[in-house]
């Protein structure tokens, strides 16, 4: 009797350097590959924002279309289901008598919970998980995950000399799907159009960007340009493809090492490696703390001294605060789904420190808007700014006027995004001049 493997794709939308795909192909006579588009992604959540915004959804849709095309050349197909993963995976396991379920290790705690529900429903099912989203696996780390260093600096010193495996080639063949497998549900998916196209989803676009960036002098000047507020080549620009697994971090490191051997190794190329280790740290940080990644108090024992003021939050979202540099950042984010690392820090610091707002609302808005949303990096960085995460200094408060003089002295960025159109007031007042704010939000 033929054995069947089900490969549940999540943040691993690629053929190259994909150990989960290779394992699924080697484990059975026939194989299903499925991606679940959860309808809850497009509904407002606990913090008023949607888990999935239009910019990121368009990128994912393009990535799925390309992956389906790649799989067809290998005699396979990508099954798309517009339903929650628990229901979809359960149905496929029962209908096709799946022997082995394969997937990448979950990044976020809610994904881990979904897998546990499936495990409970199918206790005899063999489940295999693979580390496709990180540079290392737990076995390679020089510490137990529960003893993850409390600061990034400690983590970097512990892992920067570790060997990083060479990326795997794409498989040359795959087992066929079961006979008469049902068609994909592409026509049920939400509209994937967007007004502005800055990034194209998919593995081929990821490799094109990787080669473009490392083709000449851009990596050699990364440290000098990385804090810029705008400019397509001031950073590597690889984060959207890394976030959705169209490209692996190991592939980036491998290309960086080749650049250093063939061209130059300097402070800038080392800083690219440094940034990839920051990303790595947050992946293990999320694994260790689980739901603590989303708690108001974060991983600390005390909640921050912030609340929630709907009017202030709306002005922050719309770029209508008294802070022109932040307004410009928020308008760029809403329009394009992109924002520089410096811009993200300034917008987050403003929400937490100037507006005294619950940091989770800001993190959720970034989750909705960012094309390159990564649960670990987004929520970990917001905790860092809010003082409830891994920062030993207890949070970061940026002087917005100084930051403007440093990074936008001629106000070109502010003018481009209309951040300083008029004087903005922080709060409205009622007829006796009492600020209209809600009660404290716990």
């Amino acid at each position: 009797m033929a054995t069947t493997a089900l490969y549940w794709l999540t943040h691993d939308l690629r053929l190259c350097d994909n150990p989960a795909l290779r394992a699924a192909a080697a484990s059975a006579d026939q194989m299903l590959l499925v991606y679940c588009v959860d309808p809850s992604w497009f509904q407002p959540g606990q913090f008023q924002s949607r888990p999935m915004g239009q910019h990121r959804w368009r990128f994912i849709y393009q990535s799925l279309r390309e992956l389906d095309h790649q799989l067809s050349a290998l005699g396979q197909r990508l099954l798309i289901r517009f339903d929650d993963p628990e229901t979809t995976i359960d149905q496929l396991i029962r209908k096709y008598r799946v022997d082995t379920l394969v997937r990448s290790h979950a990044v976020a705690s809610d994904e881990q919970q979904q897998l546990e529900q499936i495990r409970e429903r199918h206790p005899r099912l063999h489940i295999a998980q693979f580390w496709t989203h990180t540079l290392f696996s737990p076995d390679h780390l020089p510490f137990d995950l529960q003893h993850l260093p409390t600061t990034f600096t400690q983590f970097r010193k512990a892992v920067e000399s570790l060997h990083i495996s060479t990326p795997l080639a794409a498989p040359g063949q795959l087992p066929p799907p079961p006979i008469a497998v049902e068609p994909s549900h592409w026509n049920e998916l939400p509209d994937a159009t967007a007004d502005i196209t800055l990034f194209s989803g998919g593995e081929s676009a990821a490799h094109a960007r990787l080669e473009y960036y490392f083709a000449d002098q851009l990596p050699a000047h990364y440290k000098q340009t990385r804090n810029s507020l705008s400019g397509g080549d001031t950073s590597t620009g690889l984060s959207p493809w890394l976030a959705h697994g169209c490209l692996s971090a190991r592939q980036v490191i491998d290309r960086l090492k080749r650049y250093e051997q063939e061209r130059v190794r300097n402070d800038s190329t080392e800083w690219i490696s440094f940034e990839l280790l920051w990303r790595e740290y947050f992946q293990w940080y999320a694994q260790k703390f689980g739901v603590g990644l989303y708690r108001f108090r974060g991983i600390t024992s005390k909640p921050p001294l912030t609340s929630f003021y709907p009017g202030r939050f709306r002005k922050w979202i719309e770029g209508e605060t008294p802070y022109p540099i932040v307004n410009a950042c928020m308008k760029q984010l809403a329009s394009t789904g992109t924002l520089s690392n410096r811009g993200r820090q300034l917008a987050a610091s403003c929400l937490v420190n100037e507006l005294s707002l619950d940091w989770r609302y800001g993190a959720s808005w970034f989750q909705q808007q960012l094309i390159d949303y990564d649960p670990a990096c987004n929520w970990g960085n917001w905790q860092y700014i809010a003082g409830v995460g891994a920062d030993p200094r207890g949070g970061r408060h940026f002087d917005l006027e100084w930051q403007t003089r440093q990074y936008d002295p001629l106000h070109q960025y502010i003018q481009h995004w209309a951040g300083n159109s008029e004087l903005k007031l922080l709060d409205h007042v009622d007829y006796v001049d009492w600020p209209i704010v809600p009660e404290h939000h716990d």
Side-chain angles (χ1 to χ4, degrees), residues 198-324:
L198 295 178
F199 295 95
S200 296
E203 189 170 14
S204 61
H207 285 278
R209 175 63 191 183
L210 184 68
E211 290 308 313
Y212 166 81
Y213 186 77
F214 285 99
D216 202 354
Q217 295 300 313
L218 292 174
H221 302 290
Y222 174 79
K223 192 174 182 180
Q224 289 74 45
T225 63
R226 69 182 189 89
N227 278 316
S228 301
L229 290 168
S230 59
D233 291 337
T234 57
S235 70
T236 67
L238 296 170
S239 59
W241 295 286
L242 282 170
H244 303 295
C246 304
L247 187 70
S248 74
R250 293 196 306 182
Q251 289 173 302
V252 181
I253 285 286
D254 185 71
R255 187 62 182 87
L256 172 62
K257 289 180 178 178
R258 181 152 57 93
Y259 182 90
E260 290 179 327
Q261 292 170 355
E262 297 173 352
R263 290 182 173 267
V264 63
R265 178 179 180 179
N266 60 14
D267 287 347
S268 286
T269 61
E270 290 178 1
W271 204 269
I272 295 173
S273 178
F274 178 90
E275 297 285 11
L276 286 168
L277 289 180
W278 253 118
R279 175 187 180 274
E280 185 77 6
Y281 179 61
F282 278 128
Q283 304 307 314
W284 298 113
Y285 180 93
Q287 291 288 328
K288 175 180 178 179
F289 292 107
V291 295
L293 194 66
Y294 309 100
R295 290 196 184 109
F296 186 42
R297 69 174 186 274
I299 64 170
T300 67
S301 58
K302 294 182 180 180
L305 297 176
T306 58
S307 185
F308 180 66
Y309 307 97
R312 293 184 185 185
F313 182 55
R314 178 54 52 188
K315 288 185 176 183
W316 180 78
I317 284 177
E318 296 175 351
E320 297 293 330
T321 75
Y323 312 101

Side-chain angles (χ1 to χ4, degrees), residues 81-95:
R81 295 293 179 266
F82 188 54
D83 203 347
D84 66 86
E86 299 94 325
T87 299
T88 294
I89 302 301
D90 178 66
Q91 291 175 347
L92 292 174
I93 289 172
R94 296 179 188 279
K95 183 172 183 177

Side-chain angles (χ1 to χ4, degrees), residues 8 19 28 61 197-198 235 271 307 345 358 377 398 437:
W8 172 14
Y61 182 87
T197 302
L198 295 178
S235 70
W271 204 269
S307 185
Q345 291 177 317
D358 182 338
C377 294
F398 290 86
V437 295

Side-chain angles (χ1 to χ4, degrees), residues 4-306:
T4 303
L6 171 58
Y7 179 22
W8 172 14
L9 290 110
T10 51
H11 308 289
D12 44 8
L13 305 181
R14 64 180 185 273
L15 299 185
C16 294
D17 197 31
N18 192 336
L21 176 61
R22 282 182 166 272
S27 66
D29 303 308
Q30 53 189 18
M31 181 169 66
L32 296 161
L33 298 97
V34 63
Y35 186 91
C36 301
V37 179
D38 195 329
S40 68
W41 291 351
F42 306 93
Q43 303 298 322
Q46 179 182 359
F47 303 109
Q48 302 187 2
S49 303
R50 302 189 308 274
M52 179 73 69
Q54 189 69 11
H55 296 297
R56 189 163 86 260
W57 167 235
R58 175 192 155 278
F59 185 93
I60 291 175
Y61 182 87
Q62 289 182 335
S63 301
L64 295 172
R65 277 295 190 185
E66 184 185 357
L67 182 59
D68 188 33
H69 178 73
Q70 291 174 311
L71 290 170
S72 67
L74 297 173
Q76 261 290 348
R77 58 188 302 186
L78 180 61
L79 301 181
I80 299 295
R81 295 293 179 266
F82 188 54
D83 203 347
D84 66 86
E86 299 94 325
T87 299
T88 294
I89 302 301
D90 178 66
Q91 291 175 347
L92 292 174
I93 289 172
R94 296 179 188 279
K95 183 172 183 177
Y96 296 102
R97 298 182 180 180
V98 170
D99 303 283
T100 301
L101 174 63
V102 178
R103 62 159 292 164
S104 295
H105 272 278
V107 175
S109 59
D110 56 338
E111 296 174 331
Q112 296 170 1
Q113 292 170 0
Q114 291 170 348
L115 184 61
E116 288 308 311
Q117 290 185 26
I118 294 169
R119 193 191 303 275
E120 291 176 2
R121 295 178 186 176
H122 303 276
R124 296 183 180 180
L125 178 70
H126 176 63
I127 298 177
Q129 298 186 76
F130 295 85
W131 299 98
T132 66
H133 202 62
T134 56
L135 291 169
F136 310 110
S137 67
D139 293 341
H140 296 140
L141 296 174
F143 45 77
D144 183 86
L145 187 57
Q146 293 307 310
H147 296 98
L148 178 74
T150 57
T151 68
F152 168 70
T153 299
Q154 294 171 338
F155 173 81
R156 176 181 58 81
K157 291 179 179 179
V159 305
E160 61 186 353
S161 62
L162 296 180
H163 172 72
I164 297 174
S165 301
T166 302
L168 300 169
Q173 60 182 12
L174 295 173
I179 297 176
V181 65
E182 58 188 283
S184 290
H185 300 172
W186 293 102
N187 61 330
E188 296 181 4
L189 301 181
D191 178 63
T193 58
D195 294 334
I196 295 180
T197 302
L198 295 178
F199 295 95
S200 296
E203 189 170 14
S204 61
H207 285 278
R209 175 63 191 183
L210 184 68
E211 290 308 313
Y212 166 81
Y213 186 77
F214 285 99
D216 202 354
Q217 295 300 313
L218 292 174
H221 302 290
Y222 174 79
K223 192 174 182 180
Q224 289 74 45
T225 63
R226 69 182 189 89
N227 278 316
S228 301
L229 290 168
S230 59
D233 291 337
T234 57
S235 70
T236 67
L238 296 170
S239 59
W241 295 286
L242 282 170
H244 303 295
C246 304
L247 187 70
S248 74
R250 293 196 306 182
Q251 289 173 302
V252 181
I253 285 286
D254 185 71
R255 187 62 182 87
L256 172 62
K257 289 180 178 178
R258 181 152 57 93
Y259 182 90
E260 290 179 327
Q261 292 170 355
E262 297 173 352
R263 290 182 173 267
V264 63
R265 178 179 180 179
N266 60 14
D267 287 347
S268 286
T269 61
E270 290 178 1
W271 204 269
I272 295 173
S273 178
F274 178 90
E275 297 285 11
L276 286 168
L277 289 180
W278 253 118
R279 175 187 180 274
E280 185 77 6
Y281 179 61
F282 278 128
Q283 304 307 314
W284 298 113
Y285 180 93
Q287 291 288 328
K288 175 180 178 179
F289 292 107
V291 295
L293 194 66
Y294 309 100
R295 290 196 184 109
F296 186 42
R297 69 174 186 274
I299 64 170
T300 67
S301 58
K302 294 182 180 180
L305 297 176
T306 58

